[in-house]
Amino acid sequence: MTDRGSAMISAEFTAAYMPWAFCMFQTLPYSPRVNGKQENLWSQVEGRLLAMLEGEENLSLEQLNLAPRRG
């Protein structure tokens, strides 16, 4: 689930998740409380998960599912 920010509805973002068969949902428009929760989630993904996976080559969905258990 994402907010309706321009980064989350961009073609680049859409192209990134399409090959992995994710179902992407967007929050309701003009709902700042829900959008704030999504922004918090994505900031954690960017700050923690991406840092943890830095340098991984040939990353697969199976590896991503196992990633939180590695550390």
Side-chain angles (χ1 to χ4, degrees):
M1 181 174 274
T2 66
D3 63 12
R4 293 175 180 265
S6 60
M8 297 298 178
I9 60 174
S10 68
E12 293 86 0
F13 188 79
T14 304
Y17 72 77
M18 288 301 280
W20 296 38
F22 289 145
C23 293
M24 193 58 80
F25 298 98
Q26 294 177 339
T27 59
L28 296 173
Y30 308 109
S31 56
R33 183 185 58 154
V34 176
N35 288 344
K37 289 179 182 179
Q38 294 307 314
E39 288 176 17
N40 185 35
L41 169 74
W42 284 108
S43 69
Q44 290 182 29
V45 167
E46 185 177 42
R48 294 180 182 184
L49 180 63
L50 293 182
M52 184 174 69
L53 298 174
E54 189 174 326
E56 291 285 333
E57 294 185 20
N58 301 319
L59 198 57
S60 68
L61 183 56
E62 183 176 318
Q63 288 172 314
L64 281 175
N65 287 333
L66 295 173
R69 296 182 211 146
R70 283 193 226 171

